[in-house]
Amino acid sequence: MKKTLQKISDNTIRRLPRYLRALCELEVAGLERVSSVALGGMLGATSSQIRQDLNCFGEFGTQGYGYGVGLLKHAIEDILGKNRRYRSVLIGAGNIGRALMENRFFEENGFEPTAVFDVLPERIGTRIGGVRVFDVRDMPRRLSQFPAEVAVLCVPKDAAQSSAEQAVKLGVRAIWNFTNADICIENARVVVENIHFSDSLMTLGYRLRERQDTANAAQQTDRSA
Amino acid sequence: MKKTLQKISDNTIRRLPRYLRALCELEVAGLERVSSVALGGMLGATSSQIRQDLNCFGEFGTQGYGYGVGLLKHAIEDILGKNRRYRSVLIGAGNIGRALMENRFFEENGFEPTAVFDVLPERIGTRIGGVRVFDVRDMPRRLSQFPAEVAVLCVPKDAAQSSAEQAVKLGVRAIWNFTNADICIENARVVVENIHFSDSLMTLGYRLRERQDTANAAQQTDRSA
DNA sequence: TAGATTGTTAATCGATTAACAATC
DNA sequence: TAGATTGTTAATCGATTAACAATC
């Protein structure tokens, strides 16, 4: 893993998980080597793109041979920090938050959940996915005793910005934002990663409407012809 | 809404929901007009980009004045199909699927849920968010009687591809995919929109690790200085 | 009218693809 | 050695930004 100097584009990083998924499939299938052309075929990408992407991080292949499946998989896992452990807290124990906890999402990706915070008295003191739910007012005490790197934000839209700011003030370095709000953190060293359900659904809506409309337009032309 | 001829980039479309969010805030704040410079300031975008994006769909502004907040908001809602109604079914009534249903996510965005399908006997016959859960084996019968445009895919990874194919065969035109798998549909007219939680979490992991490492490297340099 | 701001064209920048020498 | 495939440089393509005439 050399050349950490050049700026690596967001596009490249977001392709790595897809490469990883393909490599896992290949590993399960018992394949030992794969060429950039073959990998590109699986993913609908050009071999050039794959080679360019990988060469941002190092030289993982061998001329005339290709890439070792296990080796490359391991390399990408390293790049994505899969073998690191990050302590994370959930803020907001609503439906989405609970679903994430109960699915063991965090554990699977190395994000160890250490606490849940909520405002509702009936939730406080219970356990979600095996993790205690604390009063959100205890967050400062709890986080200073048991620091966490990541806050998973599942609060209502209006509480998003203030919860995020509080978490950052308490030492959190990354926010996984599930609220339908854009979080704005002064400190540029804090990472914010968004899951915007509504944005995604609106994009779907756009493409549905577009296809409907072009289909209708085509029908019109047919009829008039 | 003219000029539907030129190809509109995915980047542009994915920015529209953000514009919409800013416009809603402005409307709530009682503002009547906004310039591309002001909107850009809110969103951390250039005014050029905003004007370019909007002009893909029509001319919504007025020289020397800017954009009418209500008018532009309405225009973007139209583009995103917010005023259309799409019938949608949920496949897989696990934690995530249930969370989506109970949050009224679909209703809020014009995606009316008409049925839920699952394999587990104890779920079949119950209601989730007010919608009946059917045996997945009844999907053909049910969908031919009550067609749906959208399938929300919340099944286990291994069932993803086959469930998606079945839904498409039964007339579904769009798939909102929550599984950690890449869905591949032959029919290019079918829309697939992914929410890949793990991909998102891995991206977060990358950036966390990167910052940790550069911080460590800086510390090293300090120490040796 | 003068100032402001759009719509749109031109310039720049970055990302993707193509090409190919190096080499297993 | 010959064939295959990488790593990397060069060419192309597309997206973003800058500039400015049109005009409210």
Side-chain angles (χ1 to χ4, degrees):
Chain A
M1 222 184 299
K2 312 151 199 173
K3 326 191 204 174
T4 322
L5 297 160
Q6 75 185 281
K7 191 92 196 89
I8 292 155
S9 87
D10 193 54
N11 288 358
T12 293
I13 295 155
R14 288 183 190 279
R15 280 192 290 264
L16 294 181
R18 299 195 63 220
Y19 297 166
L20 192 56
R21 230 175 304 155
L23 288 164
C24 289
E25 282 177 36
L26 289 169
E27 197 174 54
V28 168
L31 277 296
E32 263 183 14
R33 49 167 289 218
V34 66
S35 71
S36 55
V37 174
L39 200 56
M42 289 179 71
L43 295 164
T46 63
S47 61
S48 268
Q49 182 163 75
I50 289 172
R51 293 201 301 280
Q52 288 274 31
D53 282 347
L54 296 178
N55 277 88
C56 293
F57 304 99
E59 306 188 2
F60 306 115
T62 311
Q63 278 104 326
Y65 174 83
Y67 299 89
V69 170
L71 190 140
L72 187 55
K73 174 169 168 270
H74 203 79
I76 295 180
E77 284 178 346
D78 270 355
I79 295 164
L80 295 173
K82 264 222 146 185
N83 48 2
R84 310 250 176 147
R85 288 290 164 271
Y86 299 108
R87 279 155 301 179
S88 54
V89 295
L90 172 66
I91 311 181
N95 290 315
I96 296 291
R98 276 209 306 275
L100 292 170
M101 293 295 284
E102 282 161 16
N103 270 15
R104 309 270 144 192
F105 247 111
F106 304 113
E107 287 91 335
E108 275 167 29
N109 289 281
F111 291 77
E112 186 198 342
T114 60
V116 177
F117 298 102
D118 204 293
V119 289
L120 295 181
E122 64 266 32
R123 289 177 184 164
I124 295 164
T126 63
R127 283 180 177 271
I128 293 179
V131 179
R132 275 266 295 284
V133 182
F134 298 90
D135 190 323
V136 78
R137 284 171 297 188
D138 289 336
M139 209 161 86
R141 201 184 316 160
R142 174 82 195 172
L143 275 181
S144 52
Q145 211 181 338
F146 303 99
E149 285 88 20
V150 184
V152 182
L153 208 61
C154 295
V155 299
K157 190 177 150 70
D158 294 331
Q161 182 63 31
S162 62
S163 302
E165 282 172 13
Q166 203 196 1
V168 168
K169 220 174 279 169
L170 295 168
V172 158
R173 318 255 63 206
I175 293 184
W176 201 22
N177 175 33
F178 280 77
T179 72
N180 186 28
D182 289 311
I183 302 297
C184 186
I185 299 291
E186 294 294 303
N187 184 343
R189 298 180 58 83
V190 174
V191 180
V192 179
E193 169 74 15
N194 297 303
I195 300 265
H196 282 324
F197 289 114
S198 326
D199 286 27
S200 175
L201 207 47
M202 286 188 217
T203 307
L204 194 70
Y206 169 80
R207 291 191 279 165
L208 260 175
R209 184 195 56 72
E210 190 194 29
R211 271 159 216 220
Q212 246 176 21
D213 289 354
T214 54
N216 285 351
Q219 223 169 37
Q220 289 285 325
T221 329
D222 279 9
R223 217 171 286 156
S224 65
Chain B
M1 220 183 298
K2 312 151 201 178
K3 334 189 203 174
T4 320
L5 297 160
Q6 74 185 282
K7 190 90 196 92
I8 291 156
S9 87
D10 194 54
N11 288 359
T12 293
I13 294 155
R14 288 184 190 279
R15 279 191 293 263
L16 294 181
R18 298 194 64 223
Y19 297 166
L20 191 54
R21 229 175 304 156
L23 288 165
C24 289
E25 282 177 36
L26 290 169
E27 197 174 54
V28 168
L31 277 295
E32 263 182 13
R33 48 168 291 216
V34 65
S35 71
S36 57
V37 175
L39 200 58
M42 288 178 72
L43 294 164
T46 63
S47 60
S48 268
Q49 181 162 77
I50 289 171
R51 292 201 302 279
Q52 288 274 31
D53 281 347
L54 296 178
N55 277 89
C56 293
F57 304 100
E59 306 188 0
F60 306 116
T62 311
Q63 279 105 327
Y65 175 83
Y67 298 89
V69 169
L71 190 141
L72 187 56
K73 173 170 168 266
H74 203 80
I76 295 180
E77 283 178 347
D78 269 355
I79 295 164
L80 295 173
K82 264 222 148 186
N83 48 1
R84 311 247 177 150
R85 288 290 164 271
Y86 299 108
R87 279 155 302 179
S88 55
V89 295
L90 171 67
I91 312 181
N95 290 314
I96 295 292
R98 277 210 305 276
L100 293 170
M101 293 295 284
E102 282 161 16
N103 271 14
R104 309 271 144 190
F105 247 110
F106 303 114
E107 287 92 335
E108 276 168 26
N109 288 282
F111 291 77
E112 186 199 343
T114 60
V116 177
F117 298 101
D118 204 294
V119 288
L120 296 181
E122 64 266 33
R123 288 178 184 164
I124 295 163
T126 64
R127 282 181 177 272
I128 294 178
V131 179
R132 276 266 296 283
V133 182
F134 298 89
D135 190 324
V136 78
R137 284 171 296 187
D138 290 335
M139 208 160 84
R141 202 184 316 158
R142 173 82 196 171
L143 275 181
S144 51
Q145 212 181 336
F146 303 99
E149 285 88 21
V150 184
V152 182
L153 208 62
C154 294
V155 299
K157 190 177 151 73
D158 293 331
Q161 182 63 30
S162 62
S163 302
E165 282 172 12
Q166 202 195 0
V168 169
K169 222 173 280 169
L170 294 168
V172 159
R173 318 255 64 206
I175 292 184
W176 201 23
N177 175 34
F178 280 77
T179 73
N180 186 28
D182 288 311
I183 303 297
C184 187
I185 300 291
E186 295 295 303
N187 184 343
R189 299 180 56 83
V190 174
V191 180
V192 178
E193 169 74 16
N194 297 303
I195 299 266
H196 282 325
F197 289 115
S198 325
D199 286 27
S200 174
L201 207 47
M202 285 187 217
T203 307
L204 193 70
Y206 169 80
R207 290 191 280 165
L208 261 173
R209 184 196 55 72
E210 190 195 28
R211 271 159 217 220
Q212 245 176 22
D213 290 354
T214 55
N216 286 348
Q219 221 168 42
Q220 289 284 324
T221 328
D222 280 7
R223 215 171 288 156
S224 65

